[in-house]
């Protein structure tokens, strides 16, 4: 899954569905699922054609921060499985993927890298027991989350103490309210910040993103 655009793409090698991304920023869960269901078969081709490399970068971060490859990982907003595939390329084999799009999950299943795949709405409580994972990642999906604090507390509930949470967020959307929400979880002892990256490329060959729309990667340690 990738964050919604605020414009349209003119890249001639991508599908019309990719160009409609602008309309999904404030979509309802049903509309969002339908959109990504429609895009599922060409999603990876479109994104890779536009230079999307966030899944690989996130997987490297999880490996670099000491999460053993035999530990369970939650891949939230996994889409068609690009994120899980990159985790697998780093040696991880116990990966659970969740997404709101059933058709995307069908594509993810074909990757052969997920132990479990579930339809989940990240605006609601996630259907896993406490301390189920050593790490969680959420790459390119926070635009669609209405309750950021609720989701981050869910990730913190699901990740074992000492584990990490990795997520990306667009720099232009990383405003004071978003930062204050994250800080509140640090203030109450839920987690601590390990790293906040400088702006990184997001979808560099997308007409609306290019060098102007970049992302931060944040890494938090769960207490």
């Amino acid at each position: 899954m990738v964050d919604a655009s605020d414009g349209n793409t003119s890249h001639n090698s991508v599908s019309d569905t990719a160009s409609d991304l602008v309309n999904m920023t404030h979509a309802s869960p049903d509309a969002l699922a339908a959109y990504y269901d429609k895009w599922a078969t060409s999603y990876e081709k479109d994104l890779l054609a536009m230079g999307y490399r966030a899944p690989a970068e996130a997987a490297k971060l999880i490996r670099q921060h000491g999460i053993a490859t035999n530990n369970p990982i939650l891949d939230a907003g996994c889409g068609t499985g690009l994120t899980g595939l990159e985790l697998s390329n780093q040696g991880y084999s116990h990966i659970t993927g969740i997404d709101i799009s059933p058709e995307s999950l069908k594509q993810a299943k074909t990757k052969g890298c997920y132990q479990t795949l579930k339809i989940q709405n990240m605006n609601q409580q996630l259907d896993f027991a406490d301390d189920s994972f050593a790490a969680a990642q959420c790459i390119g999906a926070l635009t669609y989350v209405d309750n950021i604090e609720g989701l981050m507390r869910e990730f913190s509930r699901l990740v074992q103490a000492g584990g990490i949470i990795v997520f990306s967020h667009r720099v232009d959307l990383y405003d004071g309210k978003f930062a204050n929400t994250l800080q509140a979880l640090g203030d109450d002892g839920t987690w601590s910040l390990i790293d906040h990256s400088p702006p990184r490329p997001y979808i560099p060959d997308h007409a609306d993103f290019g060098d102007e729309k970049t992302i931060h990667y944040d890494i938090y340690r769960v207490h």
Side-chain angles (χ1 to χ4, degrees), residues 51-216:
Y52 183 56
R53 298 292 180 266
E57 294 301 316
K60 290 176 185 176
L61 290 173
I62 288 180
R63 186 67 185 272
Q64 289 167 4
H65 284 82
I67 303 301
T69 55
N70 61 344
N71 282 337
I73 310 294
L74 176 64
D75 184 13
C78 67
T80 59
L82 281 175
T83 42
L85 187 61
E86 293 296 345
L87 286 169
S88 179
N89 289 341
Q90 290 293 323
Y92 293 99
S93 57
H94 300 283
I95 309 168
T96 293
I98 62 171
D99 201 90
I100 201 169
S101 164
E103 292 302 318
S104 293
L105 291 176
K106 288 180 183 178
Q107 295 292 321
K109 186 176 181 179
T110 68
K111 301 292 188 297
C113 58
Y114 292 98
Q115 277 197 326
T116 304
L117 289 163
K118 285 188 176 185
I119 299 171
Q120 295 269 268
N121 179 350
M122 289 194 293
N123 286 303
Q124 300 174 356
Q125 183 173 349
L126 302 179
D127 187 22
F128 301 99
D130 295 0
D131 303 326
S132 292
F133 303 100
Q137 69 169 17
C138 185
I139 305 304
L142 291 182
T143 296
Y144 308 117
V145 177
D146 296 327
N147 183 2
I148 292 294
E149 180 177 357
L151 178 61
M152 296 305 172
R153 291 195 183 279
E154 275 296 279
F155 288 159
S156 299
R157 177 180 69 82
L158 299 180
V159 173
Q160 303 153 8
I164 63 172
I165 299 168
V166 178
F167 57 85
S168 68
H169 200 41
R170 278 172 40 188
V171 171
D172 59 308
L173 301 177
Y174 204 116
D175 56 14
K177 180 180 179 182
F178 183 83
N180 288 341
T181 296
L182 304 182
Q183 182 60 49
L185 275 73
D187 292 343
D188 69 14
T190 299
W191 65 15
S192 56
L193 178 66
I194 299 175
D195 189 61
H196 172 73
S197 79
R200 302 292 192 195
Y202 185 29
I203 312 177
D205 296 329
H206 189 296
D208 299 322
F209 289 82
D211 295 330
E212 296 182 1
K213 294 289 192 298
T214 54
I215 54 176
H216 291 300

Side-chain angles (χ1 to χ4, degrees), residues 42-57:
S42 62
Y43 176 87
E44 293 175 19
K45 176 178 178 292
D46 289 343
L47 287 181
L48 295 175
M50 293 185 286
Y52 183 56
R53 298 292 180 266
E57 294 301 316

